[in-house]
Amino acid sequence: MIKAANAASVGLVPTMGALHEGHMSLVKRAVAENDLVVASVFVNPTQFNDKDDLARYPRTPEADIEMLQDAGCNIVFMPDVEEMYPEEDTRVFDFGALGNVMEGRFRPGHFNGVAQIVSKLSYAVEPDNAYFGEKDFQQVAIIKAMVKQLDLKVRIIPCPIVREKSGLAKSSRNMLLTDTQREKAVLISKTLAASVAMAASKPVNEVHDWVVGQFASDPEFKIDYYDIVDGDSLQSVSDWNDSDYIVGCIAVYCGKIRLIDNIHYKG
Ligand code: PAF
């Protein structure tokens, strides 16, 4: 396993590979802010609650290595499953209300697996800083909570969503979309952006229902959830005055591909 102990500051960028510009923005920031950067590429089986999703998850190891090298990443860590899980990880994390909503509700066990792998990587690399994309808004909150629970010394650095020209949030899963689905999926970011303007004059429930309604007429889409939440507690708000930090988080299937995105209403 890696020990990067001699570097003055170590940055960790955990990924599941199939790298795109979103990941590279994390790597570039890590390179700018640390003496040594480690990127991990590991499709973590314990965070998949759906076997088909795990099987279909894109894998592009050669291209990933090349992109990481070009971006100035010092160490690429690409373990196999036996290396990360020589025996079953039986740890069960409890993130309370943070973990029960949204992704936690629709993907039971997902965040337990994320906490397992991110904690293992943190123990192995002992980073000063670790970089995560805000597209996975709830994941960032869960990882921050895990760092507190385990008393890890790493600073968690959330990085802004990177979008395609069309507005579609960059995701490794985008490469699984057909051309038509990719065009259709733009509706997600368009709808979220339009809902921000609407929020100036409409109550939370109307904005919520309008967003959900945008996906109703096309059978290609199936919404898991659209939740308008306090950005810290991740609990739903019912009034725009409930919090100074309000975020809308969506998970929607486009065909078989599950996409997530979010938008800040306040804060
Ligand atoms: O966001 C991801 O790609 C994964 O959940 C992570 C943080 C690399 C853990 O496997």
Side-chain angles (χ1 to χ4, degrees), residues 159-174:
C159 301
I161 299 178
V162 177
R163 297 184 179 279
E164 297 187 356
K165 273 207 191 94
S166 66
L168 179 64
K170 295 256 182 198
S171 164
S172 304
R173 289 190 159 91
N174 291 353

Side-chain angles (χ1 to χ4, degrees), residues 148-160:
K148 265 197 193 156
Q149 282 182 18
L150 300 180
D151 202 15
L152 297 172
K153 298 297 170 241
V154 58
R155 191 180 319 124
I156 300 304
I157 309 211
C159 301

